[in-house]
Amino acid sequence: MTLLSMLVMQLERLAALEVMSVNTYVESQKEFIAAEKALIECEQHLSNITVLENPACHIQSAGKNLWLISSKSKPRLEALIFLDDKTYIATRVNWRQNFE
């Protein structure tokens, strides 16, 4: 009887850990999507950044029509953008997650 009760306790703990794991995964996915949307918004308005009243990202020049955009929220995402100065079309060269 004692072994069965210990087994039930262990199963309850494992179930609780699994629920916590799924909730953490869902929350992190929401935060990742929000950070990516912030990058996309800044990328779309890169040629006229004054349109954004309160940008959700940091923007800095990397020279030669290259711009480094990073999200302010966590997880921190960074994208290197090429902005064609004739057509004002922004092209993402690469992106990465910035781990702190």
Side-chain angles (χ1 to χ4, degrees):
M1 194 65 159
T2 305
L3 288 175
L4 283 175
S5 65
M6 292 295 283
L7 178 63
V8 168
M9 284 177 33
Q10 290 297 325
L11 287 174
E12 287 174 348
R13 286 182 188 163
L14 287 174
L17 286 173
E18 184 63 27
V19 168
M20 289 172 52
S21 172
V22 169
N23 288 340
T24 302
Y25 176 76
V26 169
E27 276 304 309
S28 65
Q29 283 297 103
K30 286 179 185 177
E31 292 170 357
F32 187 87
I33 290 169
E36 179 62 28
K37 284 182 181 180
L39 282 182
I40 290 172
E41 182 181 13
C42 290
E43 182 180 331
Q44 290 173 344
H45 295 96
L46 187 60
S47 62
N48 189 9
I49 200 63
T50 58
V51 172
L52 297 175
E53 291 179 19
N54 190 11
C57 52
H58 299 285
I59 300 172
Q60 62 188 44
S61 175
K64 296 185 181 180
N65 297 336
L66 293 173
W67 296 87
L68 184 64
I69 301 175
S70 60
S71 63
K72 290 181 180 178
S73 63
K74 289 188 179 181
R76 297 218 189 264
L77 301 179
E78 292 182 349
L80 184 64
I81 308 295
F82 174 77
L83 181 65
D84 188 345
D85 57 354
K86 295 177 184 164
T87 62
Y88 297 110
I89 295 175
T91 306
R92 192 176 286 196
V93 177
N94 65 12
W95 74 271
R96 71 182 184 116
Q97 184 173 358
N98 187 6
F99 296 98
E100 295 177 357

